Amino acid sequence: YVGACDVSYKEKIARGAIVIYDLKEKRIIYEGIVEKEISFPYVPTFLSFREIPVLEELYKKSPIKPQVLFIDGQGILHPFKLGLASHFGVLYNIITIGIAKNKLEGEIKKMPERFMEAEPVYMDGKISGFCLKLSKGKKYLWISPGNLITPREALNFTLKFIKDGYHFLMKRADILSKNVI
């Protein structure tokens, strides 16, 4: 099973969504939503302290535990090398992949130009993630390992899963997290 999580906000209320996909059956088998009042303020680079309580509740309530979890946030492409995806993966000892819409950390030699082209992102001289061009415009995904996966494995799994419904899965979690709030 593969899952995707996203969290959205309206004032002090966070709404988190998890979507779980069965790779064998090629279909969504579970969707869960939680709403929580958030007391931790928005502080750049400390997003996990704001969102972990929401993700924990989603994960604990889920009757099916995914083996791999995509999280809308950073993995190791983070100033402390411990973004939301890394933090959650370490807490629950599961494979996590951070999928972010913006670069927070790292250096890239050139931006990918073609659809589904990926370029490595370096931190301290090592490949720590990848920038993936997702559409014709300037839309990119910043992919980095969260936990128990290498940067190359995170990219390869993401690319494979995009073909099997990943983009739909993350989009579905995004829509669920924003719906009704």
Side-chain angles (χ1 to χ4, degrees):
Y1 303 117
V2 178
C5 290
D6 197 3
V7 178
S8 295
Y9 298 91
K10 184 169 185 180
E11 297 170 16
K12 290 192 175 208
I13 303 296
R15 181 181 170 114
I18 187 169
V19 178
I20 299 176
Y21 184 83
D22 185 320
L23 278 172
K24 289 181 183 174
E25 293 185 22
K26 300 216 183 289
R27 67 181 184 89
I28 290 174
I29 55 172
Y30 177 77
E31 295 180 342
I33 297 168
V34 299
E35 289 185 359
K36 288 184 78 76
E37 188 167 337
I38 298 298
S39 59
F40 195 89
Y42 173 75
V43 179
T45 72
F46 287 92
L47 184 64
S48 64
F49 294 99
R50 187 173 166 97
E51 294 194 0
I52 287 286
V54 178
L55 296 181
E56 283 184 314
E57 191 170 326
L58 280 169
Y59 189 74
K60 287 175 182 177
K61 284 184 173 182
S62 174
I64 301 160
K65 303 297 186 236
Q67 283 79 37
V68 179
L69 187 61
F70 288 103
I71 295 178
D72 184 359
Q74 302 291 346
I76 63 172
L77 286 178
H78 183 275
F80 306 121
K81 296 183 180 157
L82 189 74
L84 178 60
S86 300
H87 190 157
F88 188 84
V90 169
L91 283 174
Y92 287 91
N93 196 32
I94 64 168
I95 297 169
T96 53
I97 299 171
I99 306 290
K101 295 173 197 86
N102 298 297
K103 180 173 84 86
L104 188 57
E105 188 71 24
E107 298 195 17
I108 187 165
K109 293 179 181 173
K110 73 173 196 131
M111 295 297 287
E113 297 174 7
R114 296 183 319 262
F115 175 68
M116 298 297 285
E117 179 183 11
E119 291 291 336
V121 181
Y122 297 87
M123 289 177 68
D124 303 323
K126 296 179 184 176
I127 294 175
S128 297
F130 289 87
C131 176
L132 175 68
K133 184 160 179 78
L134 198 56
S135 65
K136 291 181 183 180
K138 293 186 178 184
K139 186 170 183 177
Y140 299 96
L141 292 179
W142 300 87
I143 301 162
S144 65
N147 191 47
L148 301 174
I149 193 167
T150 68
R152 182 73 58 189
E153 290 168 337
L155 173 66
N156 290 341
F157 190 79
T158 301
L159 290 171
K160 176 199 176 303
F161 205 63
I162 283 174
K163 295 173 188 164
D164 287 344
Y166 155 78
H167 191 256
F168 169 74
L169 191 61
M170 285 298 292
K171 190 67 173 170
R172 180 72 183 153
D174 177 67
I175 289 167
L176 288 173
S177 75
K178 291 176 180 162
N179 194 20
V180 184
I181 240 181

